[in-house]
Amino acid sequence: MNRKLLSFVLLGCLAMSMQAQVVAVDSTATQRASDPNQVIGEAMKTTGTVSLAVGVPCLAAGLASLMYANFLPNPVDNCTTNPQAAIADKGLELISVEEYNNKVRDFSKKTHAAEVAGYILTPLGGALTIVGIPLYIKGNKMLQLNVQYTGNGAGVALNF
Protein backbone atom coordinates (compact mmCIF):
# COMPACT_ATOMS: atom_id res chain seq x y z
CA MET A 1 0.00 0.00 0.00
CA ASN A 2 2.86 2.35 0.76
CA ARG A 3 4.32 1.96 -2.74
CA LYS A 4 1.02 2.84 -4.36
CA LEU A 5 0.62 5.88 -2.13
CA LEU A 6 4.20 7.01 -2.78
CA SER A 7 3.74 6.54 -6.53
CA PHE A 8 0.52 8.50 -6.46
CA VAL A 9 2.08 11.37 -4.47
CA LEU A 10 5.09 11.50 -6.82
CA LEU A 11 2.82 11.49 -9.87
CA GLY A 12 0.78 14.33 -8.34
CA CYS A 13 3.93 16.35 -7.62
CA LEU A 14 5.13 15.81 -11.17
CA ALA A 15 1.82 16.99 -12.57
CA MET A 16 1.84 20.10 -10.39
CA SER A 17 5.41 20.94 -11.33
CA MET A 18 4.56 20.69 -15.03
CA GLN A 19 1.62 23.06 -14.59
CA ALA A 20 3.79 25.56 -12.75
CA GLN A 21 6.29 25.87 -15.60
CA VAL A 22 5.97 28.91 -17.81
CA VAL A 23 7.13 28.76 -21.40
CA ALA A 24 8.86 31.98 -22.42
CA VAL A 25 8.10 33.15 -25.95
CA ASP A 26 11.15 34.37 -27.81
CA SER A 27 10.15 36.93 -30.43
CA THR A 28 13.49 36.72 -32.28
CA ALA A 29 13.10 32.96 -32.76
CA THR A 30 9.63 33.53 -34.19
CA GLN A 31 10.90 36.21 -36.58
CA ARG A 32 13.82 34.05 -37.64
CA ALA A 33 11.58 31.09 -38.35
CA SER A 34 9.31 33.24 -40.50
CA ASP A 35 12.23 34.58 -42.57
CA PRO A 36 13.79 31.82 -44.70
CA ASN A 37 16.58 34.16 -45.84
CA GLN A 38 17.81 34.43 -42.26
CA VAL A 39 17.79 30.66 -41.80
CA ILE A 40 19.55 30.00 -45.12
CA GLY A 41 22.09 32.74 -44.42
CA GLU A 42 22.94 31.27 -41.02
CA ALA A 43 23.24 27.80 -42.55
CA MET A 44 25.64 29.12 -45.20
CA LYS A 45 27.72 30.92 -42.59
CA THR A 46 27.87 27.75 -40.48
CA THR A 47 28.87 25.76 -43.56
CA GLY A 48 31.64 28.27 -44.23
CA THR A 49 32.87 28.01 -40.64
CA VAL A 50 32.99 24.21 -40.79
CA SER A 51 34.63 24.33 -44.22
CA LEU A 52 37.36 26.60 -42.94
CA ALA A 53 37.79 24.60 -39.74
CA VAL A 54 38.44 21.43 -41.77
CA GLY A 55 40.11 22.96 -44.84
CA VAL A 56 42.88 25.00 -43.25
CA PRO A 57 44.32 22.13 -41.15
CA CYS A 58 44.06 19.75 -44.15
CA LEU A 59 45.90 22.25 -46.32
CA ALA A 60 48.61 22.74 -43.68
CA ALA A 61 49.01 18.99 -43.11
CA GLY A 62 49.17 18.34 -46.86
CA LEU A 63 51.82 20.99 -47.42
CA ALA A 64 53.81 19.71 -44.43
CA SER A 65 53.64 16.16 -45.82
CA LEU A 66 54.87 17.27 -49.23
CA MET A 67 57.68 19.30 -47.69
CA TYR A 68 58.69 16.34 -45.53
CA ALA A 69 58.74 14.02 -48.54
CA ASN A 70 60.80 16.40 -50.67
CA PHE A 71 63.23 17.68 -48.05
CA LEU A 72 63.96 14.38 -46.30
CA PRO A 73 67.68 13.68 -46.83
CA ASN A 74 68.49 10.55 -48.79
CA PRO A 75 70.36 8.12 -46.49
CA VAL A 76 72.33 6.56 -49.37
CA ASP A 77 73.73 9.80 -50.83
CA ASN A 78 77.18 9.20 -49.35
CA CYS A 79 77.14 5.40 -49.64
CA THR A 80 78.37 3.02 -52.29
CA THR A 81 78.59 -0.71 -52.89
CA ASN A 82 81.61 -0.38 -55.21
CA PRO A 83 84.95 -0.78 -53.40
CA GLN A 84 86.90 1.08 -56.12
CA ALA A 85 84.59 4.10 -55.84
CA ALA A 86 85.00 4.11 -52.05
CA ILE A 87 88.79 4.08 -52.40
CA ALA A 88 88.78 6.83 -55.03
CA ASP A 89 86.42 9.13 -53.09
CA LYS A 90 87.05 9.33 -49.35
CA GLY A 91 83.59 10.93 -48.80
CA LEU A 92 81.81 7.71 -49.77
CA GLU A 93 81.04 4.97 -47.28
CA LEU A 94 81.30 1.35 -48.41
CA ILE A 95 78.23 -0.71 -47.43
CA SER A 96 76.86 -4.08 -48.49
CA VAL A 97 74.27 -4.42 -51.24
CA GLU A 98 71.72 -5.79 -48.78
CA GLU A 99 72.18 -2.84 -46.40
CA TYR A 100 71.99 -0.44 -49.36
CA ASN A 101 68.73 -2.02 -50.55
CA ASN A 102 67.23 -1.90 -47.03
CA LYS A 103 68.05 1.80 -46.67
CA VAL A 104 66.61 2.61 -50.09
CA ARG A 105 63.44 0.58 -49.38
CA ASP A 106 62.86 2.30 -46.02
CA PHE A 107 63.47 5.73 -47.53
CA SER A 108 61.07 5.01 -50.41
CA LYS A 109 58.33 3.84 -48.04
CA LYS A 110 58.58 7.01 -45.94
CA THR A 111 58.62 9.40 -48.86
CA HIS A 112 55.90 7.58 -50.79
CA ALA A 113 53.52 7.61 -47.82
CA ALA A 114 54.17 11.31 -47.20
CA GLU A 115 53.73 12.18 -50.88
CA VAL A 116 50.42 10.32 -51.15
CA ALA A 117 49.12 12.03 -48.00
CA GLY A 118 50.23 15.40 -49.37
CA TYR A 119 48.70 14.78 -52.79
CA ILE A 120 45.34 14.01 -51.16
CA LEU A 121 45.27 16.53 -48.31
CA THR A 122 46.60 19.60 -50.12
CA PRO A 123 43.92 19.92 -52.84
CA LEU A 124 41.18 18.83 -50.45
CA GLY A 125 42.18 21.46 -47.90
CA GLY A 126 42.63 24.10 -50.57
CA ALA A 127 39.19 23.49 -52.04
CA LEU A 128 37.48 23.56 -48.65
CA THR A 129 39.31 26.75 -47.73
CA ILE A 130 38.46 28.46 -51.03
CA VAL A 131 34.79 27.50 -50.67
CA GLY A 132 34.64 28.34 -46.97
CA ILE A 133 35.95 31.92 -47.16
CA PRO A 134 33.09 33.46 -49.18
CA LEU A 135 30.49 31.40 -47.34
CA TYR A 136 31.80 32.63 -44.00
CA ILE A 137 32.21 36.28 -45.04
CA LYS A 138 29.06 36.76 -47.16
CA GLY A 139 26.93 33.84 -45.93
CA ASN A 140 24.14 35.99 -44.53
CA LYS A 141 23.87 38.15 -47.66
CA MET A 142 24.63 35.62 -50.37
CA LEU A 143 21.16 34.33 -51.19
CA GLN A 144 17.75 35.96 -51.34
CA LEU A 145 14.82 33.55 -51.34
CA ASN A 146 11.41 34.84 -52.39
CA VAL A 147 8.39 32.60 -51.97
CA GLN A 148 5.24 33.82 -53.73
CA TYR A 149 1.77 32.37 -53.28
CA THR A 150 -0.89 32.84 -55.94
CA GLY A 151 -4.24 31.30 -56.65
CA ASN A 152 -2.60 28.84 -59.03
CA GLY A 153 0.11 27.63 -56.61
CA ALA A 154 3.39 28.66 -55.08
CA GLY A 155 6.51 30.00 -56.74
CA VAL A 156 10.07 30.18 -55.49
CA ALA A 157 12.67 32.65 -56.77
CA LEU A 158 16.35 32.51 -55.80
CA ASN A 159 18.52 35.58 -56.26
CA PHE A 160 22.28 35.34 -55.70
Side-chain angles (χ1 to χ4, degrees), residues 55-77:
V56 171
C58 280
L59 181 63
L63 289 174
S65 295
L66 287 174
M67 288 174 62
Y68 171 78
N70 288 317
F71 295 133
L72 187 66
N74 192 344
V76 293
D77 274 347

Side-chain angles (χ1 to χ4, degrees), residues 28-36 38-39:
T28 58
T30 307
Q31 289 174 350
R32 185 179 58 204
S34 65
D35 186 15
Q38 178 77 16
V39 176

Side-chain angles (χ1 to χ4, degrees), residues 5-160:
L5 182 62
L6 182 62
S7 299
F8 183 69
V9 169
L10 288 174
L11 188 59
C13 290
L14 181 66
M16 288 190 324
S17 71
M18 289 179 126
Q19 288 179 351
Q21 291 178 357
V22 176
V23 177
V25 177
D26 186 12
S27 62
T28 58
T30 307
Q31 289 174 350
R32 185 179 58 204
S34 65
D35 186 15
N37 294 323
Q38 178 77 16
V39 176
I40 291 171
E42 288 178 5
M44 286 187 163
K45 189 162 186 154
T46 303
T47 303
T49 304
V50 171
S51 229
L52 283 172
V54 173
V56 171
C58 280
L59 181 63
L63 289 174
S65 295
L66 287 174
M67 288 174 62
Y68 171 78
N70 288 317
F71 295 133
L72 187 66
N74 192 344
V76 293
D77 274 347
N78 296 328
C79 299
T80 184
T81 58
N82 186 353
Q84 286 83 18
I87 293 171
D89 187 3
K90 299 295 180 192
L92 292 177
E93 178 186 353
L94 181 64
I95 59 174
S96 68
V97 174
E98 183 178 328
E99 187 180 355
Y100 186 88
N101 288 339
N102 288 337
K103 283 185 177 185
V104 168
R105 192 176 306 115
D106 291 342
F107 177 72
S108 295
K109 283 182 186 178
K110 287 179 188 177
T111 56
H112 181 69
E115 283 176 346
V116 169
Y119 292 153
I120 293 171
L121 289 174
T122 303
L124 177 72
L128 285 172
T129 302
I130 289 171
V131 167
I133 290 170
L135 284 175
Y136 179 73
I137 292 173
K138 297 284 186 181
N140 289 337
K141 302 170 193 153
M142 190 173 281
L143 177 72
Q144 183 71 25
L145 175 69
N146 295 323
V147 180
Q148 299 169 350
Y149 301 101
T150 63
N152 295 334
V156 177
L158 297 173
N159 297 321
F160 292 95

